[in-house]
Amino acid sequence: MKSQDIESQIKNLLNTRFIGRQLHYYPHLSTTMDTARELVKKGASEGTVVIAGTQTAGKGRIGRTWFSPEGSLAMSVILKPPLKNLPQLVMIASLAVVGAIKHISGLDASIKWPNDVMIKGKKVCGILIENEVAEGKVNYADIGIGINVNFNPMDLPEISDMATGLSHESGKEISVVQLAAKLMDELERLYLAARDGAAIHNEWRQNMETLGKRIKVDTGKTIEHGTAEEVTETGNLIVRRGDGTLIEIVAGDVTVIKD
Ligand code: BTN
């Protein structure tokens, strides 16, 4: 199908005011993050979306690679939020994914701190946010969302242990077009609510599977072990170590310890 046809199919399903109204679909890209940043430099408006059929150099968090073969959704959304809403983007994006997955596939997904979306303990979606802040103003925030839709991560030995896909879990093919449109609807709804002062944090917390679990967190500088006790309103994770002390983690990679 032609890129223009896919763009029109998605746009026809949208209920948004601005997210996805400027939509760029490419069959193949290195990474939607770089394309989105180039569009920002050329003056792209808030809500502009880039989608790739496949990515050859998909970027994950902490310098990792993200696999985006045929059957994935790889999307970057350009936002220009007020500075006070920047920490909420992690929450907005992960909640939007959980909502869109439920609506389109019927599957229950949950959030592993900070923003991995999981089904039955396996990762189905990763989120990467890149932003530029100068003089107290957010120049842009690109929300990159990768979802394993109709490809089965079991076929990729590198990730087969920890990843899953929507069609594999639901036993049916899922429309990437419908999922992308619903995701944009959910993102805009939550983003506007957050900008109006809604308590996104509570909903995020309620959808988080990490709380109460014994975990290991790799912060990049230290490895912490303990129990995930709480998440703060700015999105940080509070961990209670074995000796009873508390530590607040701003960024890191969580592994849930199975009993
Ligand atoms: C992670 O869990 O490590 C984050 C993965 C983010 C992947 C998405 S796919 C769309 C966008 N383009 C990229 O290159 N990365 C993000």
Side-chain angles (χ1 to χ4, degrees), residues 1-11 23-29 51-53 177:
M1 205 187 298
K2 280 200 266 167
S3 296
Q4 272 177 344
D5 294 340
I6 297 179
E7 287 167 5
S8 337
Q9 280 188 6
I10 295 174
K11 279 191 184 173
L23 179 61
H24 303 267
Y25 177 88
Y26 301 89
H28 312 287
L29 276 182
I51 298 182
V177 164

Side-chain angles (χ1 to χ4, degrees), residues 31-33 55 58-61 66 75 123 126-127 144-146:
T31 155
T32 56
M33 299 309 279
Q55 298 184 116
K59 289 197 230 175
R61 290 199 311 128
W66 180 260
M75 163 169 140
K123 181 160 164 173
I127 296 167
I145 300 175

Side-chain angles (χ1 to χ4, degrees), residues 87-98:
Q88 290 169 309
L89 294 187
V90 163
M91 308 177 200
I92 290 166
S94 49
L95 278 173
V97 171
V98 169

Side-chain angles (χ1 to χ4, degrees), residues 5-227:
D5 294 340
I6 297 179
E7 287 167 5
S8 337
Q9 280 188 6
I10 295 174
K11 279 191 184 173
N12 285 340
L13 293 171
L14 282 181
N15 293 301
T16 58
R17 281 204 327 244
F18 59 98
I19 294 189
R21 294 294 159 192
Q22 294 295 323
L23 179 61
H24 303 267
Y25 177 88
Y26 301 89
H28 312 287
L29 276 182
S30 55
T31 155
T32 56
M33 299 309 279
D34 289 355
T35 306
R37 211 174 39 245
E38 282 155 24
L39 287 169
V40 166
K41 281 191 198 134
K42 289 182 191 153
S45 55
E46 179 167 57
T48 300
V49 172
V50 178
I51 298 182
T54 67
Q55 298 184 116
T56 49
K59 289 197 230 175
R61 290 199 311 128
I62 338 175
R64 294 198 185 122
T65 300
W66 180 260
F67 291 101
S68 299
E70 201 100 11
S72 329
L73 174 60
M75 163 169 140
S76 289
V77 181
I78 299 168
L79 294 177
K80 303 186 179 182
L83 187 60
K84 70 173 170 49
N85 295 115
L86 194 57
Q88 290 169 309
L89 294 187
V90 163
M91 308 177 200
I92 290 166
S94 49
L95 278 173
V97 171
V98 169
I101 287 178
K102 178 76 187 171
H103 188 90
I104 300 296
S105 71
L107 291 164
D108 284 319
S110 57
I111 299 164
K112 178 161 85 85
W113 185 88
N115 56 8
D116 286 346
V117 179
M118 316 289 286
I119 294 178
K120 295 186 198 143
K122 290 190 165 189
K123 181 160 164 173
V124 72
C125 164
I127 296 167
L128 174 70
I129 300 179
E130 293 181 343
N131 60 62
E132 186 181 275
V133 178
E135 292 166 9
K137 187 173 163 284
V138 181
N139 290 339
Y140 70 85
D142 290 341
I143 303 185
I145 300 175
I147 307 182
N148 306 330
V149 188
N150 294 314
F151 100 86
N152 187 356
M154 305 294 168
D155 299 337
L156 288 176
E158 297 95 321
I159 56 171
S160 57
D161 283 356
M162 62 246 191
T164 191
L166 295 181
S167 60
H168 175 72
E169 293 294 338
S170 65
K172 60 184 181 199
E173 174 128 339
I174 304 292
S175 161
V176 177
V177 164
Q178 284 178 18
L179 183 65
K182 188 65 193 172
L183 187 48
M184 292 180 219
D185 284 356
E186 287 292 290
L187 274 173
E188 185 171 296
R189 182 180 68 76
L190 289 159
Y191 179 58
L192 291 177
R195 281 191 6 185
D196 283 349
I200 298 293
H201 167 259
N202 282 339
E203 208 182 325
W204 182 60
R205 189 186 176 285
Q206 278 156 17
N207 281 274
M208 186 157 305
E209 62 168 41
T210 318
L211 296 181
K213 301 249 171 78
R214 287 203 308 122
I215 56 164
K216 179 178 103 172
V217 194
D218 183 350
T219 68
K221 289 188 189 123
T222 58
I223 308 270
E224 298 288 343
H225 290 265
T227 304

